Every structure is written in structure tokens, then in C-alpha cells.
Amino acid sequence: MRKLLAPLAVVAAVLGFGAAPASAATKPVLFTYVYVDSPGTDNRTNASLNQEYFRLTNQLAKPVGLRNWSVKDAAGKVITFGNITLPAKGSFVVHTGKGTQGSPTGHFYWNSGNYIWNNTGDTATLRSPSGATMDTCVWKKVSTTKC
């Protein structure tokens, strides 16, 4: 059992979880904004799809690697991140449509040809590689959602 606890302690330290209880721990990365309804008619053009997006923010004073972290909607659509490092206190945006990853700086793309977020309400869930829920953002109607 000692061998298992050591790696968990290292992970906890890297993600900013100290000896404080889980309820008191700062979430290392969280949703800070979700734009669920692109302006105008929902015509599924790439320009329209890319106006639907979410922003993730690193709450820590050190970078956080997001390799194999994922975001999932209530219907089970999932995006899994590759080799992305979120800078200390930094943010990045993930657009629904297609584009060049990292261009402009801090912008990434789901590469979907369909809208992801339901205008009538949805849930965005951020998970670590182990499957632990790191943050959740819920909305019930068309909105620009600050989570």
C-alpha cells in the first residue's frame, strides 16, 4: 500500500492539493466561461460553430499539463486533450468547429461539424486522465455562461 500512496501524494502536490480536505482544496483547472449559443442562425457553418466555445482556466501559480484530460457534454460527446500545458494562472479556449490547433495562441478546436452544447441546457464536465471530475458547469437555457 505504501507504493500506491507515494504516487498519489506526488499527483496531489503537482495539482495543488495539500493536506487540506478535498472540500477546501483549490480546483487546479476549471471552466470560467461557456458560450453556448453562437450569434445568428444556427446554420452549422464553421464560422458559426466556432462562436460556440468554452474557456478553461488554471487557478494555480504553476503550469498544469492537460494530456489525456477531457471535456464531455451531457449527451456523451467527448474531447480529449493532447499535449497541452495550461500556463500558470492562464486560460485557453476550445471552439466547437474546425481550425488550426493553437492558432491564434491559446485557441483550440473540437473539430466538430455539429454544435456540441444544447441551447436549452447542458452540462460540461472536465475530467482528469484517471476519470476524476475536476469541474462541472451546468446551464438551463440559452446563455453566455460564467461558470
Side-chain angles (χ1 to χ4, degrees):
M1 185 60 98
R2 192 171 293 161
K3 288 182 181 181
L4 179 61
L5 291 177
L8 289 176
V10 170
V11 170
V14 167
L15 293 179
F17 297 107
S23 61
T26 299
K27 294 178 183 179
V29 178
L30 50 82
F31 292 102
T32 50
Y33 195 81
V34 181
Y35 198 96
V36 302
D37 186 24
S38 59
T41 304
D42 288 347
N43 56 14
R44 286 194 293 171
T45 64
N46 197 55
S48 178
L49 289 166
N50 280 334
Q51 290 183 54
E52 179 185 85
Y53 60 88
F54 64 87
R55 181 176 61 211
L56 292 176
T57 301
N58 178 0
Q59 300 296 297
L60 302 178
K62 57 187 168 192
V64 174
L66 297 181
R67 184 173 193 78
N68 294 322
W69 287 49
S70 62
V71 170
K72 179 176 157 182
D73 79 335
K77 293 175 251 160
V78 178
I79 183 171
T80 301
F81 302 122
N83 194 24
I84 296 173
T85 298
L86 194 49
K89 301 291 185 178
S91 296
F92 72 82
V93 173
V94 177
H95 301 273
T96 295
K98 297 175 180 162
T100 301
Q101 302 299 355
S103 181
T105 300
H107 290 256
F108 297 89
Y109 301 87
W110 198 304
N111 288 320
S112 176
N114 292 306
Y115 297 98
I116 301 296
W117 309 113
N118 295 325
N119 295 347
T120 56
D122 211 334
T123 301
T125 303
L126 175 66
R127 294 191 190 277
S128 71
S130 70
T133 298
M134 301 308 287
D135 195 29
T136 303
C137 182
V138 179
W139 58 93
K140 297 189 186 278
K141 62 179 181 171
V142 172
S143 67
T144 301
T145 305
K146 288 187 178 184
C147 299

